[in-house]
């Protein structure tokens, strides 16, 4: 009997649980590990959810007509005309991504670095990940030339890559692939007959609206599946809802049929009250648009403040253009980190932050990086406050960085990085110079 696919705890969820344990034990901790968006629910959405609490029937597997129509309108306003009949709702974009891997089948090309669950889901779906590095400064999309080579090698070895997963904007780097790279990706996917699965959960969290993230569906509409949800833009992770947009093509309709079949066997239907609230959110009335804009402004201010502190400490950092993530590389400090702290890899570096300082971060290995990499991911979305009152104040403040609880978190980041790197400065020849 073959051994089942290995199942490990999600790195982000495991880090959250460990930090919660230490917090309950009375330790001082600072969570920069989780992608949880620590912001309150928009009251109008709460009201829609409560009003729909009596909806207790299963409903259509693909989701209610109202939700699918609203999601189609949401994509249409972003330049992707969508047939509501080719929209599928699920209990979060994460299960939808896994169901899509099951529906497409075969091995899955994943970017390196990439979100912690893509490779694990590929294995759980019965395939294997095919890791391909991303272009410098463009996270989330495999380098198209390297993609061609990796797929050719995999197929020559008897493997069966059928899809490539991309993230726009990217988790973990907070960067965005260029239109040129997406155009080359589209050509490669056509030549290699790959389905593109585009995870666009962060598409509303781009700081500069003039440079929004384009979807691969703009370049390869016949073979690109797009997924999104309300977890990040509206901080509704606990409501578990996501939607997938299937291509209006023979390939898209085939995958749609299989995806609905998978959904019918796994989750039957998404919670009906949540669908009602989600339909309202995807319609984007003025209060929803204003709330997302306030969240985006807060993310940008805080993540850039934290990024400045990592850069000042000597870490290399590609400018963050979206999300609440940054991905500093401590490679410039490798020699000193090894000499002073015994750090040789990202795992040990993240452990040092956690054990010595109580700061939760994730090592690059969680995102597919090689063990020796000194890259770590910091997520800043848990710094907005401990209570809804504090978080609401953060959303409405003229200068969130001046709020005492956010200022204290930034001071702690500075304090930790100073303690970590100060011994290095004392050893440098220029130490003490004006």
């Amino acid at each position: 009997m073959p051994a089942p696919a290995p199942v490990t705890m999600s790195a982000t969820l495991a880090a959250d649980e460990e930090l919660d344990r230490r917090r309950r034990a009375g330790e001082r901790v600072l969570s920069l590990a989780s992608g949880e968006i620590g912001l309150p629910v928009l009251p109008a959405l709460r009201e829609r959810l409560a009003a729909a609490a009596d909806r207790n029937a299963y409903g259509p597997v693909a989701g209610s007509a109202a939700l699918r129509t609203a999601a189609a309108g949401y994509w249409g306003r972003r330049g992707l005309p969508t047939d509501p009949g080719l929209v599928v709702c699920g209990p979060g974009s994460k299960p939808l991504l896994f169901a899509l891997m099951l529906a497409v089948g075969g091995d899955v090309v994943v970017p390196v670095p990439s979100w912690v669950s893509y490779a694990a889901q590929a294995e759980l779906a019965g395939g294997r990940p095919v890791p391909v590095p991303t272009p410098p400064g463009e996270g989330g999309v495999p380098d198209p030339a390297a993609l061609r080579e990796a797929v050719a090698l995999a197929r020559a070895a008897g493997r069966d890559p059928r899809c490539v997963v991309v993230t726009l904007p990217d988790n973990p780097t907070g960067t965005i692939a260029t239109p040129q790279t997406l155009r080359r990706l589209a050509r490669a996917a056509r030549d290699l007959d790959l389905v593109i699965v585009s995870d666009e959960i962060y598409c509303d969290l781009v700081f500069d609206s003039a440079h929004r993230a384009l979807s691969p569906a703009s370049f390869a509409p016949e073979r690109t599946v797009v997924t999104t949800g309300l977890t990040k833009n509206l901080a509704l992770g606990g409501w578990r809802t996501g939607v997938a947009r299937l291509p209006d093509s023979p390939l898209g309709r085939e995958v749609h049929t299989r995806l609905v079949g998978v959904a019918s066997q796994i989750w039957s239907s998404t919670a009906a009250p949540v669908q009602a609230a989600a339909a309202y959110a995807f319609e984007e009335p003025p209060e929803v648009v204003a709330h997302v804009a306030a969240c985006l402004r807060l993310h940008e201010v805080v993540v850039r403040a934290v990024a400045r502190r990592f850069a000042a400490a000597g870490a290399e950092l590609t400018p963050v253009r979206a999300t609440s993530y940054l991905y500093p590389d401590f490679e410039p400090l490798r020699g000193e980190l090894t000499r002073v702290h015994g750090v040789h890899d990202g795992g040990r570096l993240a452990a040092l932050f956690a054990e010595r300082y109580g700061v939760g971060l994730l090592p690059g290995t969680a995102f597919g990086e090689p063990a020796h990499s000194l890259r770590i991911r910091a997520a800043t979305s848990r710094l907005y406050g401990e209570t809804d009152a504090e978080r609401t104040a953060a959303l409405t403040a003229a200068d969130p960085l001046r709020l005492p609880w956010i200022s204290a978190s930034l001071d702690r980041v500075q304090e930790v990085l100073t303690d970590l790197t100060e011994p290095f400065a004392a050893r440098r020849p220029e130490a003490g110079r004006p």
Side-chain angles (χ1 to χ4, degrees), residues 261-282:
V262 170
S264 75
Q265 299 292 357
I266 297 179
W267 62 74
S268 300
S269 62
T270 304
V274 174
Q275 288 192 58
Y280 173 78
F282 280 119

Side-chain angles (χ1 to χ4, degrees), residues 8 14 38 79 102 116 119 148 204 209 226 248 300 319 340 344 414 421 423 434:
T8 57
L102 289 169
V116 299
R148 289 177 183 273
D204 292 335
S209 60
V226 179
D248 189 1
E300 179 180 8
V340 177
H344 297 274
Q414 183 68 63
T421 61

